[in-house]
Amino acid sequence: MDSAEPFERLCVIGVGLIGGSLARAARAAGACREVVGCGRDPAHLKRAQALGVIGHYETDPARAAAGADLVVLAAPVGACAALLRRVGPVLAEGAIVSDVGSVKGAVVEAARAALGPRFPAFVPGHPIAGTEHSGVEASRADLFRGRCTVLTPCAETDAAAVRRVSAFWKACGAQVVEMDPAHHDTVFAAVSHLPHLLAYTLVDWMAQRPDAAELFDFAGGGFRDFTRIASSDPVMWRDICAANAEAITTVLDGFRAALDRLRAAVHGGDGAALEAVFRNAKAARERLTDGES
Ligand code: NAP
């Protein structure tokens, strides 16, 4: 089968920002012929249907997945194990299962346990695209355009399934890279999970101070830029922390040591040390954003 051939029936479980955007992108690109949505709340799914994101819906994951040739889990990471246990037994012959979770090692292990002999049909994925907004209303057909999607296949993963999922993401506008699941979790603990925890902690710490109202009155652009991602969904981030606890703990320890060094430099009036940190950070950030508008 040609890897770029459209899927007949895409089943998206979790029609929110990412699942809704994937459904929109796939429909717009002709990468699937029909989309079945699944979630817990029929009101959310009716809204997704009214917006033209999904064709029809089921609230039962097994009913939704039956007859689909691509099932994508796009619910919070903590829901994936139970969903995979529901979906596994009804998977059609030759069907592929994938996900969009921000953590890969824990989801891969959940899939291995839940899918048993069908585990090679599981192609783990993580689109590096998103916003701090949640729900289908925030979904966009162009969310993945020019962005990267990481696939983290295992030794057992069916190579043809990886090629099809890769072609599907490319049709949706993404560039695709492959990575080992554990390596993915180490990288994203640093570049994504740590910044979210820092933003959440800063806002929470400020909000709990007795003078919070005055502080927030004077919070300017810098504070808003730094803390935008503290508006992200708390359940999603609770699940990410639970699923990637070891890698996140390691980066928190490293960052705390860096913060301790910075504190010592501030307290000791070590301007040279502070300037060195700021210069290094400024140069690294300029390299990162070089070429961005
Ligand atoms: P979202 O907008 O909150 O959407 C999640 C959807 O999942 C909701 O529509 C919710 O609908 C449904 N859902 C929740 N629990 C469920 C369950 N137990 N069974 C079935 N459906 C369930 O979240 P999102 O931002 O799209 O994130 C979804 C996934 O994408 C997460 O795994 C996250 O790690 C990953 N991700 C997010 C981003 C980002 O920037 N947001 C980026 C990359 C990857 P109901 O309430 O109606 O069930």
Side-chain angles (χ1 to χ4, degrees):
M1 177 180 284
D2 178 4
S3 301
E5 197 167 302
F7 287 94
E8 286 300 321
R9 185 187 290 182
L10 165 66
C11 168
V12 176
I13 305 185
V15 191
L17 168 68
I18 301 295
S21 296
L22 189 61
R24 284 184 193 268
R27 288 188 122 181
C32 64
R33 297 198 205 283
E34 60 170 318
V35 184
V36 182
C38 178
R40 297 163 306 176
D41 186 339
H44 293 159
L45 295 164
K46 278 200 180 85
R47 184 71 190 130
Q49 198 177 33
L51 289 168
V53 175
I54 56 174
H56 65 281
Y57 65 82
E58 299 281 353
T59 50
D60 175 37
R63 286 175 65 95
D69 49 352
L70 176 62
V71 179
V72 178
L73 307 184
V77 166
C80 286
L83 289 171
L84 286 161
R85 284 194 293 272
R86 297 297 316 284
V87 161
V90 303
L91 275 184
E93 176 82 31
I96 297 172
V97 187
S98 190
D99 81 309
V100 298
S102 308
V103 179
K104 297 277 49 93
V107 175
V108 165
E109 287 321 308
R112 196 189 297 279
L115 299 179
R118 296 298 301 272
F119 177 65
F122 182 64
V123 181
H126 175 203
I128 313 307
T131 71
E132 69 278 24
H133 303 296
S134 300
V136 72
E137 307 275 358
S139 65
R140 294 184 352 221
D142 65 352
L143 187 69
F144 309 112
R145 193 168 301 149
R147 310 304 292 269
C148 174
T149 290
V150 183
L151 299 182
T152 64
C154 304
E156 307 96 301
T157 314
D158 177 29
V162 177
R163 282 196 297 277
R164 279 205 84 192
V165 173
S166 177
F168 177 76
W169 276 106
K170 286 177 185 163
C172 293
Q175 295 148 13
V176 176
V177 298
E178 289 186 26
M179 214 185 256
D180 167 76
H183 185 59
H184 166 281
D185 290 353
T186 307
V187 169
F188 286 91
V191 298
S192 172
H193 307 170
L194 178 65
H196 279 82
L197 297 195
L198 298 182
Y200 276 128
T201 311
L202 175 59
V203 180
D204 177 57
W205 173 75
M206 293 245 306
Q208 302 225 28
R209 285 173 51 140
D211 57 350
E214 184 188 11
L215 294 179
F216 285 120
D217 272 350
F218 288 103
F223 186 84
R224 282 165 196 272
D225 285 353
F226 184 80
T227 59
R228 175 183 59 82
I229 53 180
S231 296
S232 303
D233 182 59
V235 170
M236 176 177 136
W237 281 97
R238 176 203 68 190
D239 284 4
I240 289 170
C241 290
N244 200 24
E246 202 178 313
I248 293 175
T249 306
T250 302
V251 294
L252 279 173
D253 288 346
F255 188 78
R256 188 167 59 183
L259 210 51
D260 284 345
R261 287 194 295 277
L262 195 77
R263 184 195 181 283
V266 172
H267 188 66
D270 188 347
L274 292 173
E275 194 179 326
V277 171
F278 302 154
R279 279 191 189 284
N280 191 37
K282 180 173 161 60
R285 193 166 191 289
E286 277 165 3
R287 286 194 297 277
L288 175 72
T289 56
D290 191 29
E292 292 174 12
S293 56

